[in-house]
């Protein structure tokens, strides 16, 4: 691998001096994942929390008090567009239900702000394409919240595969799933865009792509949802999907809303690397098989946890002018593949993809 | 599970008194797998080695000397049919290349002998059907050499799944493969009937079926063979295949001739059971996840190793009149599913299967 490629793959997650400027983030949506993200600004070197956007004024004030956000920087979904006049806000991080990502990304770009948007970036590839175009037209960065790309275990797994330490990658087995509780927005098609694929299955898809470094040319999928389960009246439960890559490498993936999975293994011509858990918030673990022996393989630590590193990456890209390693275009690729997965499962046929 | 069903699933692998009669086996084909089987008669309680069939008289004599087979019980492929007059032979065990299974099973049945046939039982489902019919017409047993059904680890995994100890089975991930050496009969379509699916992939298929206890109603497959690899001029390398079962359980499987895999995991609604290696000759290991904790799970030992137990099972069925748990019909089911897998991969579409 060329050094340039390695640098693009692994942006330096080094500590910035605290005296340098930190870019200001507005968090949009104070749901469960905001509770994961908000405490992580404390460790950021290039990012700080400056604003909150919520439909509940009471909740916004409570979070503002906890995280030191001034009253003037609290917005609701109607007043949101006024952020354009607030110089404390450089970046808007959209942590709303999937079905609202498109609207708020477009409004943030229209307000002249850079955008971090949670994955999946939209309900459809068409929406995703509009988001990419809107941010480009506004001259603003768009990054998708693929936190695993900033996490030590996943970075080490990528390095091992790409460096050929298990030979040529042949088969990626990637499984992600959990047993979803009823009565939540993730089971509402308008808000979620889909079921397990649009939530947890995207981790299997991302892993297959970032581990191999390739784009699939063929997708085949089977949907095995039990539609008599009231949770799955609108969205899919389990999808098995398979990807064929140009090198001949393949991926055999699971996306599930009724069983727990969080692992991947890349089997190469000379061994394998496995992560389980693979994409947890913490505690991910690697096992490496080489020369017919399997051993635990601790990943070298990164300077920052995955959440803070993700936040800082966009801040640094804004300051340097570089493209994020998980740009809007990257999110759009996932959306196109997910749509092909849905098409394959619905029509019972393999779907060829053109490499964009 | 009813006791009757449990008894059928787990035939008693108990020791028989050595004073009882042992049925005589003729081994047809002295290749590598015969070297695995022949030493195992020493531990059998109901079976003994009485005859050898080989194309090489020198090899037959050498093996006869090693295993105590009398000169009069040595045959070649032309003289084979004379076994009908040899009362030392009760059962013929066909360990020839796949493409010869059909011919020698029919000739053995015509000679009035019971048949153990290695897997896959034939090159095609049509041949397999003829083998089942021929043995039935001759009033002789036909059993397929699915050794894993007699192996402690696999029996324990089946028990755990069927007993509901991991909840309802949701996803079986089963992977089998190895990096095949060039220049051998397994790469010759006429002799092998196909590639990895007809050799090692059948273990993934069998596992999916015996772990769930269900028959697939839908098959989808992707063939990713690199046809520029000289090994794969005639037969396939890697096939990813997916099965949907009536209960909603699914299987995501790998069959490979260019990377090493030997494992399965059944993920249920309450945990998972994993075997790796899963179907090795020895040293198979289980890990069990329950209540969010994973631990090694040693399988209770069986009275006999898998090879001797398999040999004795057919002898006992011959004596009792019972059907083997892995009958010709069972082998035929695999053949029909493998043909559906090939059709799916070739035509790029999911293939529905009717439950026979």
């Amino acid at each position: 691998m060329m050094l340039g490629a390695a640098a693009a793959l692994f942006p330096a997650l080094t500590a910035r001096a605290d005296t340098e400027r930190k870019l200001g983030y507005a968090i949009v949506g104070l749901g469960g994942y905001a509770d994961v993200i908000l405490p992580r600004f404390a460790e950021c070197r290039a990012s700080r929390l400056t604003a909150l956007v919520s439909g509940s004024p009471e909740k916004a004030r409570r979070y503002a008090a906890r995280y030191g956000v001034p009253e003037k920087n609290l917005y609701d979904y109607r007043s949101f567009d006024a952020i354009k006049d607030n110089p404390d806000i450089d970046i808007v991080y959209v942590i709303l239900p999937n079905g609202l990502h498109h609207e708020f990304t477009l409004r943030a770009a229209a307000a002249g702000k850079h955008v971090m948007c949670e994955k999946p970036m939209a309900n459809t590839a068409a929406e995703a394409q509009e988001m990419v175009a809107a941010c480009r037209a506004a001259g603003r960065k768009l990054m998708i919240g693929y936190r695993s790309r900033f996490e030590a275990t996943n970075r080490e797994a990528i390095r091992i595969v790409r460096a050929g330490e298990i030979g040529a990658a042949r088969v990626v087995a990637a499984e992600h799933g959990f047993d979803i509780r009823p009565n939540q927005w993730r089971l509402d098609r308008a808000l979620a865009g889909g079921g397990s694929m649009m939530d947890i299955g995207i981790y299997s898809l991302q892993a297959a792509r970032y581990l191999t470094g390739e784009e699939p040319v063929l997708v085949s999928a089977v949907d095995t949802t039990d539609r008599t389960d009231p949770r799955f009246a609108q969205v899919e439960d389990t999808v098995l999907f398979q990807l064929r890559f140009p090198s001949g490498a393949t991926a055999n993936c699971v996306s599930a809303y009724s069983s727990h999975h969080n692992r991947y293994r890349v089997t190469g011509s000379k061994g394998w690397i496995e992560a389980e858990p693979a994409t947890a918030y913490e505690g991910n673990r690697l096992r490496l098989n080489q020369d017919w022996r399997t051993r635990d393989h601790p990943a070298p630590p990164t300077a920052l946890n995955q959440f803070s590193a993700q936040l800082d990456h966009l801040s640094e890209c804004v300051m340097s002018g570089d493209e994020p390693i998980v740009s809007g275009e990257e999110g759009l690729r996932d959306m196109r593949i997910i749509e092909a997965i849905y098409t394959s499962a619905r029509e019972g046929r393999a779907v060829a993809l053109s490499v964009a």
Side-chain angles (χ1 to χ4, degrees), chain A residues 108-314:
Chain A
K113 305 303 182 184
H114 304 280
V115 182
M116 177 87 77
C117 180
E118 258 314 303
K119 64 195 172 302
M121 68 186 284
N123 276 9
T124 66
E127 284 182 353
Q129 178 65 66
E130 289 176 3
M131 292 157 71
V132 168
C135 291
R136 188 181 295 143
R140 291 299 177 265
K141 302 288 183 195
L142 172 59
M143 174 170 155
I144 312 303
Y146 292 115
R147 61 182 167 77
S148 297
R149 291 292 299 278
F150 302 92
E151 189 272 333
T153 296
N154 284 274
R155 290 165 65 92
E156 176 66 359
I158 293 171
R159 187 197 66 73
I160 284 169
V161 176
R162 306 277 187 100
E165 293 185 9
I166 55 168
R170 298 296 305 156
V171 178
V172 180
E175 303 179 4
H176 284 82
F178 62 93
D179 197 21
I180 196 164
R181 294 187 313 276
N183 305 314
Q184 56 171 301
W185 69 262
R186 292 190 175 282
L187 300 172
D188 178 319
R189 174 164 293 279
L191 285 174
S196 72
M197 269 308 306
M198 295 291 275
D199 175 10
I200 191 74
I202 197 170
Y203 285 87
S204 290
L205 171 58
Q206 265 282 305
R209 292 178 55 240
Y210 62 64
L211 290 163
T212 60
E214 295 189 75
E215 295 303 320
V217 292
L218 188 82
V219 164
S220 179
V222 171
D223 178 331
T224 66
T225 305
D226 174 8
R227 295 292 178 179
T228 69
D229 185 324
R231 295 176 298 177
F232 307 124
Q234 295 188 31
V235 303
E236 81 279 0
D237 172 13
T238 302
V239 177
L240 309 183
F241 62 97
Q242 312 179 316
L243 309 172
R244 187 162 71 192
F245 296 104
S247 72
T250 60
N252 211 28
C253 301
V254 174
S255 170
Y257 258 173
S258 60
S259 50
H260 187 83
H261 312 255
N262 194 305
R263 63 168 178 159
Y264 56 69
R265 182 184 292 191
V266 186
T267 302
S269 51
K270 296 179 183 172
W272 49 256
I273 181 78
E274 177 179 86
E276 182 168 27
T279 59
Y281 291 169
E282 54 189 327
N284 295 321
R285 293 185 59 182
L286 289 177
R287 289 195 307 155
L288 177 62
N289 176 280
Q290 288 173 318
D291 303 321
W292 303 97
R293 283 211 300 269
T294 302
R295 61 176 200 273
D296 289 339
H297 180 83
T302 46
L304 282 176
N305 67 82
Q306 58 186 320
F307 307 99
S308 302
Q310 175 192 314
L311 292 165
D312 274 359
H313 179 63
L314 180 52

